[in-house]
Amino acid sequence: SVGSACTHFYCSCWKKLFRLLGNNNNQINTRQMSGFVKRRRALNINGTRLSVHTGQWVISVGNPSLDHVFGGGFPIGSIIGIGEDKHGSYSRVLTKYFLAEGIVSKHPLLVGTLEEDPTQLIEKLPKPVETTTLPEGTTEQQPETMRIAFRYNQQAPVDSEQKSSTALGHYFDLSKTISSTTLHTQDITYWNGDEVKGNDADFEGSFKNPHYASLLSYIQRKASEQQFNSTSDESAKNVLRICINSIGSPAWYDKNFCEDFLRFIVLLKAIVRNTLSVCLLTVPLHLFTHLDDIYLCRKVRNLFDFSFDLEAFTGQMEEQANPIFKEYHGLLNITKIAPFNSLASFHPKTRDLAFKLKRSKFVIEKLHLPPDIADDDSGTKNPVPTLSCAGGGMKSKLDF
């Protein structure tokens, strides 16, 4: 009787367990089915596409060469940091590309700077190139016109420009500007630091320098609009392009600059990450070496999602005299590519990159050794005696 009672007890327990497992499986299946049916619809924003590397929605910064270097585009919700060249001229060109791409893609813009009037920056944005017109430098060169050794004439010309196989972004002509009528129809917000004390109650007391609180208040008010809310399906969505030009310049300096600057980037990153926004900052990092915090550059780069420095050859006699760099205006040094919402970051095929500014475009190319340098070096290492008017019987540039 005791054994039968125990057997009956265990059987009832197993029945309850199987019943519970069955109910849980049914709940799991219904949840999976409901989750599949109620999946949130994909973003349908002009000027965006899914990345082939990470599956994230990415946008173009207006320069296809730069997009290709960083994996085909920059994810929505990321912060891009550019280390300015010493004169700030080349970083300014990339800023114009970023804003011009937003104009063409119908993205709202927010432009902030203390160095100049932001309206003047918008008025000088480059004009997009028609799709039927090839941008400068895309036509193939003929081997006969290449100034290299004759043994390379039978080979195809080397095109080291960084080009993407996927269509994202537009080409722009730097020699032409977008018409004022087109700019007036765009959603553009300007900040130049004039309204320091305004509706910045959310960040009041967070900074010693009131410009940071004022700028963050502008960004937060604009990014809080319903069209930039990624979790709501009530209205049409769009991407906010935030461009802060030359932040960290001497116009921002005060006694508490390092702490305020780092706190500003942290709060800015929180706003951008939780909205449909992309932020581009240009920072004169070469000036930070004179500050008290010697590790400020590392801290700033660590807060960026993507960062690179522009090292211009202007004023550098050694680089200008080097025959390797004679075709370029500077080097592009990639300093950070973060694994944005993925386990591994994108690794470019090469990090030896150089740039040159042509009349109508900014080109990023793979740095390579010109083929005629080897011939020049071999001629200097083994001088051949000659009969000439130059003394010493050695070959000279004055020989005739």
Side-chain angles (χ1 to χ4, degrees):
S1 59
V2 177
S4 61
C6 293
T7 303
H8 178 72
F9 173 76
Y10 284 121
C11 290
S12 61
C13 290
W14 280 109
K15 290 179 180 179
K16 292 180 180 179
L17 179 61
F18 286 135
R19 192 179 300 114
L20 290 175
L21 290 175
N23 293 334
N24 290 335
N25 289 334
N26 292 334
Q27 293 178 1
I28 293 173
N29 291 333
T30 55
R31 289 176 182 175
Q32 290 177 350
M33 291 297 295
S34 62
F36 176 77
V37 173
K38 296 181 181 180
R39 180 175 296 176
R40 195 180 304 275
R41 61 185 180 86
L43 294 174
N44 186 16
I45 303 177
N46 187 29
T48 65
R49 69 167 180 82
L50 282 175
S51 171
V52 297
H53 301 284
T54 62
Q56 302 292 324
W57 289 95
V58 297
I59 67 169
S60 171
V61 293
N63 188 286
S65 299
L66 189 59
D67 295 336
H68 176 69
V69 170
F70 284 88
F74 293 86
I76 297 177
S78 61
I79 292 184
I80 310 166
I82 302 179
E84 295 182 355
D85 53 290
K86 292 184 178 181
H87 297 279
S89 56
Y90 298 107
S91 59
R92 183 184 174 86
V93 173
L94 295 180
T95 298
K96 293 180 180 179
Y97 274 125
F98 179 77
L99 295 173
E101 180 65 32
I103 295 294
V104 177
S105 301
K106 306 297 182 182
H107 295 164
L109 306 179
L110 192 151
V111 187
T113 179
L114 288 179
E115 296 295 320
E116 60 179 333
D117 187 359
T119 57
Q120 296 181 359
L121 181 63
I122 294 294
E123 292 173 356
K124 299 178 181 179
L125 296 184
K127 185 178 180 181
V129 178
E130 298 180 1
T131 55
T132 56
T133 305
L134 290 176
E136 179 185 350
T138 57
T139 57
E140 294 186 356
Q141 300 176 354
Q142 297 297 329
E144 291 78 10
T145 62
M146 299 180 65
R147 300 178 59 183
I148 59 177
F150 68 92
R151 59 178 176 271
Y152 297 103
N153 284 339
Q154 302 302 324
Q155 299 182 5
V158 178
D159 187 7
S160 56
E161 181 179 352
Q162 302 298 299
K163 298 179 181 179
S164 177
S165 58
T166 56
L168 178 66
H170 303 79
Y171 288 95
F172 295 90
D173 188 351
L174 294 175
S175 61
K176 302 177 182 179
T177 58
I178 299 178
S179 62
S180 58
T181 56
T182 303
L183 296 176
H184 291 327
T185 60
Q186 302 298 319
D187 183 4
I188 306 177
T189 303
Y190 301 97
W191 181 90
N192 57 3
D194 290 342
E195 299 180 4
V196 176
K197 293 183 179 180
N199 299 326
D200 53 355
D202 295 336
F203 304 100
E204 185 177 1
S206 300
F207 304 95
K208 299 294 183 180
N209 189 341
H211 287 109
Y212 293 107
S214 176
L215 180 55
L216 276 179
S217 298
Y218 266 71
I219 296 174
Q220 187 184 36
R221 287 197 300 268
K222 187 63 180 179
S224 60
E225 295 181 4
Q226 198 66 27
Q227 58 178 333
F228 309 124
N229 188 353
S230 60
T231 60
S232 176
D233 296 333
E234 297 179 0
S235 60
K237 303 303 176 184
N238 209 336
V239 176
L240 174 63
R241 288 177 178 253
I242 305 170
C243 180
I244 306 177
N245 189 31
S246 194
I247 185 172
S249 64
W252 295 83
Y253 286 176
D254 60 0
K255 295 181 179 180
N256 204 43
F257 169 75
C258 297
E259 296 180 5
D260 283 353
F261 187 68
L262 294 175
R263 186 179 293 110
F264 171 81
I265 297 180
V266 171
L267 295 176
L268 174 64
K269 191 173 184 178
I271 296 175
V272 174
R273 193 69 103 238
N274 292 281
T275 57
L276 298 176
S277 308
V278 177
C279 182
L280 176 70
L281 300 94
T282 64
V283 186
L285 295 176
H286 59 277
L287 299 179
F288 290 2
T289 57
H290 304 287
L291 301 178
D292 295 335
D293 191 353
I294 59 177
Y295 300 106
L296 182 60
C297 290
R298 295 183 183 180
K299 296 176 183 178
V300 171
R301 290 194 183 104
N302 188 41
L303 294 175
F304 293 149
D305 297 310
F306 305 91
S307 65
F308 59 93
D309 296 339
L310 298 178
E311 181 184 352
F313 296 153
T314 305
Q316 301 182 13
M317 301 303 298
E318 295 182 0
E319 283 75 6
Q320 288 181 344
N322 195 329
I324 300 178
F325 303 138
K326 64 181 181 179
E327 298 180 357
Y328 307 105
H329 293 154
L331 301 177
L332 190 147
N333 303 317
I334 300 176
T335 54
K336 184 178 180 182
I337 301 179
F340 198 86
N341 293 339
S342 60
L343 296 178
S345 60
F346 172 77
H347 294 279
K349 294 182 179 180
T350 179
R351 290 178 178 263
D352 299 328
L353 300 171
F355 66 87
K356 53 185 174 182
L357 181 61
K358 297 183 178 180
R359 185 181 64 87
S360 61
K361 64 183 296 189
F362 184 92
V363 182
I364 300 174
E365 296 183 353
K366 177 182 177 182
L367 183 63
H368 64 277
L369 186 67
D372 56 343
I373 290 182
D375 299 336
D376 296 341
D377 293 341
S378 61
T380 57
K381 291 181 180 179
N382 299 317
V384 180
T386 58
L387 296 176
S388 63
C389 65
M394 308 300 287
K395 191 173 182 180
S396 172
K397 294 181 179 180
L398 299 177
D399 292 350
F400 60 88

